[in-house]
């Protein structure tokens, strides 16, 4: 798809012989004239050179089959092969389970393969229908898609009118394979309550199966209770639109100029295509780590086509700037007591690919991977296997520590299959002492927590808790429970798993095993507790859905950040009051330690309760105390002063004066035999 000015499009359309005649409908020329006078539409005009057909961004947004705004009871079909292939499964981009005949399969499939079948949507009110998007069936085992179809509309579901091409029924071209969405816009919008898609032909080796999205604008109807009941509005004055790379960078600059005293823009590296990975810092002292102040991060876009997280972080930085300036005490407290880092786009190369296709036409995977074909979120070193093997051989914690597991040498070589973006993330994670992090993803409504890899090699799904499982479960629930939909037991399942039954949270490995995840790496290599937040069923929602999604996630985004202040914090110092870096903080009963940072300060996330905590460092005498964590927000102060051990002091003195170490065995040294002076 190549972007051209509209005059160029028309010139090509007139000069090149057409494979079939183009029929212009009444009123179509008026719409062309509107385009010539509308710079926004003119800029967005595109052309497919294969057919020289003109493409204009849809006049109306998707009605919401993919986002679940359209309920199951609004979807009907002539027949169905079985319940798991019923009309309620005919939603764009819906994903199937691994095996056939499951409760959740990946399309609506008719019970018979004939031209009398149909898929119907009840809009529940008069709607201006402007187009249809179709896909084939999501399946690892079957190849099913519709190659052509008719469209019919009705006001009462009894009398139907077929869209015409002159005097003939209009036949729309369908799919040529099962995953890439195909958009057909109507030459003239149709106003009705019901719309039907009637398959006329299908892949010869398959069956009548479809996934569908309908484009439509509700007609004004202030007395329509159904619409008002489901309508969500926001009062926040934010930039609710999708941002390409340049627009994202410009927006970050604007927010920085609005709040220069509490924000900073910096980059952590570059993508494969050379795009800078911009991070946005929010703090009362931007650019510096403050003693006793925890560091928090949100990241998004490791899968480039999961764009909702990207936009949520751009909205969050705007919101926090505005609310800070207006004196919101909650936001001011967060800014003054926390150093917050927002990285909206880990994979800008993938995003640009998805953005070019558009929110509905990218499919499920276009733009997911890095430019060199790697899944960035699962591109980290597998430290789980190193730790678990050491534990099996009883080498941990004597030779292999239960924390800060080192990165293998092979992974750090230039020939290792590691994305540039992943290397940049690791450097960033090692440089800044993050305490808590959330990576925003899409395609589901759930918060997952480590471990993401199963301990059993032969199992693809198995609960695999960390030593901090209770803390991770609380952190996950803090986001899910404050989200508008995640814990709603009555909400519809996004695809195949009902996470609402588990309070909107899941152990990653119990969902599906994944080696080398960002979550596991963060937990095992750094002090940071990392979770994945899947913020919506639709990976790339239409721009019109962004205010709704912001309202769904706004409170959760704030609550999760506040959890960085739960547990204990303190400073480990020597007897002269100097902070000790890399001191180990151990909590009795939890087989996972953390370390102090350069100034000797630390943060240890814990649930309410009493804990015996020990601080130890090489050359120092360990010190222990009982620290109590309360239910109120705010970490409990738990400082340590540890003294040098006698052995380390002796070694320090001997090294200082260049003396040989004293012989501690109690035997006379053979190098200096005692002489008997009385015999001389």
């Amino acid at each position: 798809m190549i972007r051209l000015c509209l005059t160029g499009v028309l010139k090509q359309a007139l000069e090149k012989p057409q494979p079939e005649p183009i029929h212009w409908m009444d009123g179509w020329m008026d719409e062309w004239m509107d385009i010539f006078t509308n710079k926004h539409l003119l800029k967005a005009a595109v052309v497919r050179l294969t057919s020289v057909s003109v493409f204009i961004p849809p006049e109306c947004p998707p009605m919401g089959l993919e986002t679940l705004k359209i309920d199951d009871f609004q979807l009907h079909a002539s027949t169905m092969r079985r319940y798991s292939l019923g009309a309620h499964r005919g939603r764009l981009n819906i994903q199937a389970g691994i095996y056939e005949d499951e409760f959740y399969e990946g399309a609506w499939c008719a019970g018979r393969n004939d031209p009398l079948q149909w898929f119907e949507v009840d809009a529940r009110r008069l709607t201006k229908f402007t187009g249809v998007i179709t896909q084939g069936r999501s399946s690892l085992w079957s190849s099913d898609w519709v190659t052509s179809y008719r469209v019919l509309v009705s006001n009462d579901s009894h009398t139907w009118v077929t869209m015409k091409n002159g005097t003939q029924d209009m036949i729309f071209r369908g799919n040529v394979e099962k995953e890439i969405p195909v958009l057909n816009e109507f030459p003239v919008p149709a106003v009705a309550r019901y719309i039907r898609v009637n398959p006329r032909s299908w892949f010869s080796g398959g069956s009548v199966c479809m996934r569908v999205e309908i484009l439509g604008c509700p007609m004004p109807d202030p007395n329509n209770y159904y619409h008002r009941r489901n309508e969500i509005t926001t009062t926040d004055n934010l930039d609710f639109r999708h941002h390409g790379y340049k627009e994202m960078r410009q927006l970050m600059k604007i927010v920085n100029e609005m709040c220069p005293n509490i924000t900073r823009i910096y980059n952590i590296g570059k993508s494969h295509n050379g795009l800078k990975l911009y991070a946005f810092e929010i703090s009362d002292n931007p650019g510096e780590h403050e003693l006793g102040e925890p560091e928090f991060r949100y990241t998004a876009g490791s899968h480039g086509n999961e764009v909702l997280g990207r936009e949520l972080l751009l909205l969050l930085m705007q919101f926090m700037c505005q609310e800070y300036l207006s004196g919101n005490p909650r936001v001011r407290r967060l800014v003054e007591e926390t150093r917050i880092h927002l990285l909206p786009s880990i994979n800008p190369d993938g995003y640009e690919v998805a953005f070019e296709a558009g929110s509905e036409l990218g499919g499920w995977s276009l733009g997911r991977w890095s430019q060199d074909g790697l899944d960035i979120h699962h591109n980290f070193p597998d430290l789980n296997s190193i730790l678990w093997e050491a534990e099996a051989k009883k080498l941990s914690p004597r030779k292999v520590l239960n924390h800060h597991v080192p990165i293998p040498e092979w992974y750090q070589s230039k020939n290792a299959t590691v994305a540039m973006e992943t290397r940049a993330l690791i450097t960033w994670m090692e440089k800044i002492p993050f305490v808590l992090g959330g990576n925003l993803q899409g395609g589901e409504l759930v918060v997952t927590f480590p471990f993401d890899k199963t301990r059993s090699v032969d199992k693809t799904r198995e609960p695999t808790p960390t030593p901090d499982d209770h803390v991770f479960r609380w952190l996950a629930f803090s986001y899910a429970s404050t989200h508008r939909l995640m814990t709603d037991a009555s909400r519809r399942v996004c695809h195949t798993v009902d996470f609402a039954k588990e309070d909107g949270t899941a152990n990653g490995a119990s969902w599906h095993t994944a080696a080398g995840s960002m979550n596991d790496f963060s937990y095992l290599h750094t002090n940071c507790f990392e979770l994945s937040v899947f913020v919506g069923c639709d990976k790339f929602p239409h721009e019109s859905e962004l205010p709704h999604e912001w309202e769904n996630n706004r409170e959760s985004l704030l609550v999760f950040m506040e959890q960085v202040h739960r547990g204990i914090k303190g400073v480990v110092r020597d007897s002269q009051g100097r902070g000790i870096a890399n001191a180990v903080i151990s909590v009795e009963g939890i087989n996972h330690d953390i370390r102090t940072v350069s100034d000797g300060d630390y943060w240890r996330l814990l649930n309410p309760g009493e804990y015996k905590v020990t601080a130890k460092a090489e050359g120092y005498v360990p010190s222990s105390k009982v620290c109590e964590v309360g239910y109120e927000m705010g970490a409990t102060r738990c400082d340590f002063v540890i003294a040098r051990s006698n052995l380390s002091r002796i070694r320090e003195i001997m090294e200082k004066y260049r003396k040989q170490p004293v012989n501690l065995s109690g035997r006379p040294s053979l190098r200096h035999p005692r002489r008997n002076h009385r015999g001389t």
Side-chain angles (χ1 to χ4, degrees), residues 268-336:
I268 69 167
K270 292 184 178 180
S271 70
H272 184 275
N273 287 345
L275 300 179
K276 293 181 179 179
L277 307 180
Y278 286 109
F280 193 84
E281 180 186 341
I282 306 175
S283 169
D284 60 344
N285 194 11
E288 294 185 25
H289 171 73
E290 297 183 68
L291 186 72
E293 185 170 291
E295 311 247 4
F296 175 92
R297 70 167 179 255
Y298 270 132
T299 60
S302 56
H303 300 144
N305 65 329
E306 296 172 8
V307 307
L308 178 54
R310 171 193 182 111
E311 295 306 326
L312 287 175
L313 293 192
L314 294 177
L315 292 167
L316 180 62
M317 64 179 68
Q318 298 173 63
F319 175 80
M320 294 197 69
C321 172
Q322 292 180 9
E323 294 299 302
Y324 183 88
L325 294 177
S326 67
N328 183 322
R330 183 185 188 187
V331 172
R332 279 188 167 269
R333 190 181 310 111
L334 264 172
V335 172
E336 291 165 2

Side-chain angles (χ1 to χ4, degrees), residues 301-306 347 349-351 353-354 362 365-370:
S302 56
H303 300 144
N305 65 329
E306 296 172 8
N347 181 9
D349 297 347
Y351 174 84
V353 173
S365 60
L366 182 66
R368 173 186 175 90
W369 298 280
S370 67

Side-chain angles (χ1 to χ4, degrees), residues 517-653:
S517 76
M518 183 175 176
N519 294 347
D520 289 3
F521 173 83
S522 181
Y523 181 69
L524 293 176
H525 186 68
T526 75
N527 286 340
C528 185
F529 287 38
E530 181 91 11
L531 295 85
S532 291
V533 183
F534 292 79
V535 291
C537 300
D538 188 351
K539 289 185 175 184
F540 197 154
H542 189 270
E543 201 166 82
S544 62
E545 293 294 321
L546 293 180
H548 173 84
E549 295 295 353
W550 169 246
E551 287 296 317
N552 284 344
N553 288 277
R554 178 183 56 192
E555 179 65 16
S556 301
L557 290 166
L558 296 174
V559 167
F560 188 73
M561 280 194 289
E562 291 170 336
Q563 303 313 305
V564 77
H565 296 283
R566 184 174 296 278
I568 61 174
K569 67 177 181 180
V571 182
V572 179
R573 296 184 173 92
D574 62 18
S575 54
Q576 280 74 44
R578 294 171 298 196
I580 301 174
N582 292 318
V584 176
I585 304 297
S586 302
V587 179
E588 187 176 66
I590 301 178
N591 188 28
H592 181 78
D593 303 334
I594 63 164
R595 294 182 184 179
T596 59
V597 299
S598 57
D599 295 327
D601 46 346
Y602 77 91
W603 305 263
R604 198 358 170 143
L605 297 176
L606 293 168
N607 285 345
E610 284 189 351
Y611 301 90
K612 182 180 179 182
V613 184
T614 301
K616 53 189 175 183
E618 186 177 354
Y620 292 85
V621 179
S623 175
S624 300
K625 63 172 61 176
V626 174
C627 304
E628 183 177 354
V629 178
Y631 287 90
E632 66 281 354
M633 187 59 66
T636 301
R637 190 78 189 216
C638 197
D639 296 326
F640 291 89
V641 176
I642 54 178
R644 298 295 298 270
S645 66
N646 291 334
L647 180 58
S648 67
R649 292 174 63 191
I650 291 172
R651 285 177 175 168
E652 182 179 319
I653 292 170

Side-chain angles (χ1 to χ4, degrees), residues 96-101 105 137-144 178:
I98 297 176
Y99 306 106
E100 300 291 295
D101 300 322
E105 296 196 62
R137 176 182 175 185
S138 170
S139 172
L140 295 175
W141 318 104
S142 304
S143 296
D144 304 304
K178 57 188 175 184

Side-chain angles (χ1 to χ4, degrees), residues 115-163:
L116 300 178
Q117 307 306 307
W118 46 262
F119 177 86
E120 178 185 310
V121 179
D122 176 4
R124 301 284 294 176
R125 62 179 295 177
L126 287 179
T127 300
K128 181 171 72 171
F129 298 116
T130 61
V132 173
I133 304 172
T134 60
Q135 279 175 311
R137 176 182 175 185
S138 170
S139 172
L140 295 175
W141 318 104
S142 304
S143 296
D144 304 304
W145 60 84
V146 169
T147 56
S148 68
Y149 59 88
R150 297 188 308 169
V151 175
L152 303 86
V153 294
S154 171
N155 285 330
D156 57 10
S157 78
H158 298 292
T159 304
W160 292 88
V161 176
T162 304
M163 288 192 174

Side-chain angles (χ1 to χ4, degrees), residues 366-384:
L366 182 66
R368 173 186 175 90
W369 298 280
S370 67
Q371 186 64 28
D372 42 357
L374 298 174
D375 185 331
I376 295 173
H377 184 72
H378 299 115
N379 189 222
F380 292 82
D382 177 12
L383 304 184
N384 305 57

